[in-house]
Amino acid sequence: MRFLPLHPHQMKEDVKVTVKNILTNYLEQNQLRKTPERFAILDAVYSINGHFTLEELGDRLNDKNRFPVSRATLYNTLKLFMELRLVIRHRFQGSTKYEACYDNNSHSHQICTVCGRVTEFKSQKINEALASVHLKRFRKDGFSLYVYGICSTCQAKLTKQAMKRKLEKSQ
Amino acid sequence: MRFLPLHPHQMKEDVKVTVKNILTNYLEQNQLRKTPERFAILDAVYSINGHFTLEELGDRLNDKNRFPVSRATLYNTLKLFMELRLVIRHRFQGSTKYEACYDNNSHSHQICTVCGRVTEFKSQKINEALASVHLKRFRKDGFSLYVYGICSTCQAKLTKQAMKRKLEKSQ
DNA sequence: ATGTATGCAAACCATTTGCAATGAC
DNA sequence: GTCATTGCAAATGGTTTGCATACAT
């Protein structure tokens, strides 16, 4: 008999097992091949906390896991994982980041449009609103919310600049 | 004396005037140049309903407005407009789309991850939740919400395929 | 007159594609 | 043995950059 976890989310290792099962089932049901690359990449993805680039994923597999995988395969596999909703892709300005999203789909991103910094936040209200939205002829599977704005650091710099300009003009 | 509009949103031509003023003020305050290209592009952007590609914007300026503008300038100008929050960029899978966003920032996008179709929807609840979220040390200026899922057409196809596969297996 | 903005072409770079070799089934 | 998958290298295509020219101030 297993005790229910105290934490609302699954433990990290449990999540790994679950997503591995999802992948296995999908591959079997679609007569695709259970290659070691696919499982190594999945494990690496679910070992990383937060966002990562394709580059970083490749490096991790190479350095830490001693399991080098080609760029092409990384692209192929991440595409497969996105279809399975095991991974989500964010195309931030300048860089594309990926993120494990099974059991990790309830946070949003705030993006400073000046410095480009991306921070995560959670909002119960937004999640509730999202859950309550009914979309006709559409099965919701996930979401990405990006809130754009200006962080206080950049705002301060802008204000300073504006003051300086005003001063120069009046002289 | 002007009557208040009955409609909660500004009329299209009013919006054009407003955004033109925003641009003019910004250019003047930052000693940038009020080039005809910038105003032609702004007008074109605010004449298009919904999403458009850079290509389409260029074509429209060329064909309809008889005001050809180079690719480089389109990129430069759209970047400027994005900083001014007059335009928002969506990087959908496969294609980058732009959209006028002044007075047009309250809708979300639903995206079918199978066929890639993008549809807009509005949700009062989501807008309220968004408005109520307080982000520390951050001035919210806008947002993009993408809801991913599967549209009923694609869902039907998938179900059909799965049934077919099952049938073949059992034979 | 000054220096910003445009337009062209070249450079860049992330992603995709084609194809031969590998290996899962 | 068959054919999906990998890995390499080449191609692609959207975006950026460098620079000479045009033109807004």
Side-chain angles (χ1 to χ4, degrees), chain B residues 83-149:
Chain B
E83 284 161 11
L84 282 170
R85 316 225 116 264
L86 297 175
V87 162
I88 189 164
R89 179 175 58 188
H90 303 288
R91 303 177 113 163
F92 297 130
Q93 107 137 324
S95 69
T96 301
K97 302 269 181 129
Y98 298 85
E99 188 178 15
C101 67
Y102 179 85
D103 203 43
N104 178 33
N105 200 358
S106 64
H107 63 276
S108 308
H109 297 88
Q110 80 187 58
I111 304 172
C112 175
T113 49
V114 177
C115 66
R117 215 176 113 94
V118 179
T119 325
E120 296 186 358
F121 71 93
K122 288 199 182 201
S123 159
Q124 183 65 21
K125 264 192 186 165
I126 286 174
N127 289 336
E128 281 168 8
L130 263 151
S132 78
V133 172
H134 174 74
L135 299 175
K136 270 178 293 188
R137 320 191 113 262
F138 195 82
R139 195 193 78 203
K140 286 183 285 177
D141 284 335
F143 74 93
S144 286
L145 172 62
Y146 306 114
V147 176
Y148 298 102

Side-chain angles (χ1 to χ4, degrees), chain A residues 19 41-42 44-54 56-57 78 81-82 84-92 96-109 118-122 143-146:
Chain A
V19 294
I41 295 171
L42 184 64
V45 164
Y46 275 83
S47 300
I48 298 174
N49 285 316
H51 302 149
F52 57 88
T53 63
L54 185 124
E56 287 160 3
L57 179 61
L78 285 174
F81 290 176
M82 285 191 283
L84 281 171
R85 315 228 116 261
L86 297 175
V87 163
I88 189 164
R89 179 175 59 188
H90 303 288
R91 302 177 115 162
F92 297 129
T96 300
K97 302 267 181 131
Y98 299 85
E99 188 176 18
C101 67
Y102 179 85
D103 203 44
N104 178 33
N105 201 359
S106 64
H107 63 274
S108 307
H109 296 88
V118 179
T119 325
E120 296 185 357
F121 71 93
K122 287 199 182 200
F143 75 93
S144 286
L145 172 63
Y146 306 114

Side-chain angles (χ1 to χ4, degrees), chain A residues 3-164:
Chain A
F3 289 96
L4 284 171
L6 295 172
H7 199 270
H9 294 298
Q10 289 180 286
M11 294 288 88
K12 199 149 183 175
E13 289 308 312
D14 282 357
V15 172
K16 279 191 186 179
V17 173
T18 309
V19 294
K20 194 177 169 181
N21 286 337
I22 291 172
L23 176 59
T24 305
N25 287 339
Y26 180 80
L27 296 176
E28 285 176 354
Q29 290 187 11
N30 294 275
Q31 43 253 303
L32 302 173
R33 290 180 185 167
K34 285 172 262 174
T35 63
E37 284 82 359
R38 284 173 172 162
F39 290 101
I41 295 171
L42 184 64
D43 190 83
V45 164
Y46 275 83
S47 300
I48 298 174
N49 285 316
H51 302 149
F52 57 88
T53 63
L54 185 124
E55 199 73 38
E56 287 160 3
L57 179 61
D59 288 349
R60 186 189 181 99
L61 281 157
N62 196 32
D63 302 343
K64 203 158 186 171
N65 299 16
R66 297 289 161 78
F67 197 100
V69 173
S70 74
R71 258 186 138 46
T73 299
L74 285 176
Y75 277 111
N76 284 338
T77 308
L78 285 174
K79 194 179 174 190
L80 173 68
F81 290 176
M82 285 191 283
E83 284 162 10
L84 281 171
R85 315 228 116 261
L86 297 175
V87 163
I88 189 164
R89 179 175 59 188
H90 303 288
R91 302 177 115 162
F92 297 129
Q93 104 141 330
S95 70
T96 300
K97 302 267 181 131
Y98 299 85
E99 188 176 18
C101 67
Y102 179 85
D103 203 44
N104 178 33
N105 201 359
S106 64
H107 63 274
S108 307
H109 296 88
Q110 79 188 59
I111 303 172
C112 175
T113 49
V114 177
C115 66
R117 215 175 111 95
V118 179
T119 325
E120 296 185 357
F121 71 93
K122 287 199 182 200
S123 159
Q124 182 65 20
K125 263 190 187 166
I126 287 173
N127 289 337
E128 281 168 8
L130 264 152
S132 78
V133 172
H134 174 75
L135 299 175
K136 269 177 295 188
R137 320 192 113 260
F138 194 81
R139 193 192 78 203
K140 286 183 283 178
D141 284 334
F143 75 93
S144 286
L145 172 63
Y146 306 114
V147 177
Y148 298 102
I150 301 184
C151 71
S152 55
T153 312
C154 288
Q155 186 58 68
K157 281 182 194 164
L158 289 177
T159 310
K160 213 170 168 181
Q161 275 175 26
M163 282 171 68
K164 200 177 162 194

Side-chain angles (χ1 to χ4, degrees), chain B residues 40 58-69:
Chain B
D59 288 348
R60 188 192 180 95
L61 280 158
N62 195 33
D63 302 343
K64 202 157 185 173
N65 299 17
R66 297 289 161 80
F67 197 98
V69 174

